Amino acid sequence: MRVIDAFVESLDVIEMGFDKARTAATGRRPYHPGDLLKLYIYAYLNQTSSTRRLEKECHRNL
């Protein structure tokens, strides 16, 4: 959903306290907090509480 994408992109996730948005130079990079927030909002709006259903939705909406 583009509305969710535009909303989350307008937020400053580092200022909101998601300090893991800045990653160290070592190790694998974690998921960006904005991407996880988009996924959480999408699941909430579509009343999807099951992670398996959410996974199917992610594959369907790539």
Side-chain angles (χ1 to χ4, degrees):
M1 298 179 94
R2 293 182 183 181
V3 174
I4 297 170
D5 189 39
F7 172 70
V8 174
E9 291 297 324
S10 70
L11 300 174
D12 186 10
V13 292
I14 296 173
E15 186 178 305
M16 292 175 61
F18 295 103
D19 56 350
K20 298 292 183 189
R22 284 187 233 137
T23 58
T26 60
R28 291 188 67 179
R29 297 181 67 193
Y31 291 110
H32 191 274
D35 294 337
L36 296 176
L37 181 59
K38 290 175 193 177
L39 187 62
Y40 180 79
I41 293 171
Y42 178 84
Y44 181 79
L45 291 176
N46 289 297
Q47 298 176 347
T48 304
S49 59
S50 168
T51 55
R52 290 179 191 234
R53 272 194 239 142
L54 187 56
E55 179 188 10
K56 288 180 184 177
E57 285 292 317
C58 287
H59 287 287
R60 186 176 68 89
N61 289 321
L62 282 179

